[in-house]
Amino acid sequence: EGLVEILPAKGAIVRKFTAKDLAQILQVLKTLEQLGGRMACELASDATIQAINVLHERMLALYKSNNRLEYFKLNQAIHSAIVAASGNPVLMEMHETLQARIKRLRFIGNEGPQKWAGAVAEHEEMMAALLKRDAEALLDVIGRHMESTRLRVADVF
């Protein structure tokens, strides 16, 4: 997943990500998720979209109960489920690899009630667009969500 670096005469170390690394990964993730979202709107079954909505409703309940770790796990599952709804295994594999690289940074990015509330509001918009199969609205909110993610984690560096 690109999380370990092998250094000559030193061995393996955990890779340290820079703000530039994060911005580049999020740029690609945005594109992958937008492609997955567009395909999901066009190709996914009603049952698949409803299953994603069930995940979303469970995620909102975790948000309301202030369970950030379980919320985050479902949040990531929703992003993956939207991409999976594309039916494209190559897209899913690339998305999973990049998502794994920045999982910890994304978790940290939702620290604090204001940041967390912003992420939830964006997810509400994403789900509304997906339920309507409004690909353009979904692509727009995914783009804003990724930019917001970059800004939410910027102070970590």
Side-chain angles (χ1 to χ4, degrees):
E1 293 90 12
L3 298 173
V4 176
E5 290 182 76
I6 308 297
L7 299 176
K10 290 190 178 188
I13 62 166
V14 175
R15 180 176 177 197
K16 292 182 179 166
F17 285 95
T18 65
K20 183 177 180 181
D21 293 329
L22 177 66
Q24 291 173 344
I25 291 169
L26 286 172
Q27 182 180 43
V28 175
L29 268 177
K30 175 179 103 172
T31 302
L32 295 176
E33 288 192 19
Q34 286 176 323
L35 175 59
R38 178 180 301 284
M39 293 173 72
C41 285
E42 295 169 3
L43 304 171
S45 69
D46 291 342
T48 297
I49 290 177
Q50 278 307 321
I52 296 169
N53 191 46
V54 168
L55 293 176
H56 175 74
E57 294 297 329
R58 286 179 35 212
M59 184 191 75
L60 290 178
L62 291 167
Y63 170 68
K64 290 174 184 165
S65 69
N66 207 32
N67 186 338
R68 202 162 74 84
L69 179 58
E70 294 305 314
Y71 161 90
F72 179 74
K73 289 176 185 178
L74 267 180
N75 178 302
Q76 296 295 282
I78 290 166
H79 284 269
S80 295
I82 291 170
V83 171
S86 73
N88 184 322
V90 175
L91 179 60
M92 293 162 52
E93 181 184 348
M94 295 298 105
H95 180 262
E96 182 181 330
T97 297
L98 289 178
Q99 191 160 302
R101 278 191 194 172
I102 61 169
K103 190 176 284 189
R104 185 175 184 283
L105 288 172
R106 288 181 93 172
F107 180 74
I108 292 168
N110 283 335
E111 282 183 335
Q114 198 169 29
K115 289 180 179 182
W116 195 6
V120 170
E122 291 158 3
H123 266 261
E124 288 272 62
E125 284 186 69
M126 287 168 57
M127 199 63 238
L130 183 60
L131 285 169
K132 291 178 194 169
R133 295 182 182 265
D134 184 343
E136 294 311 313
L138 182 57
L139 273 59
D140 176 65
V141 71
I142 287 171
R144 287 185 285 113
H145 185 59
M146 290 300 173
E147 177 59 18
S148 295
T149 297
R150 186 186 66 76
L151 295 173
R152 282 191 283 268
V153 300
D155 57 355
V156 172
F157 294 100

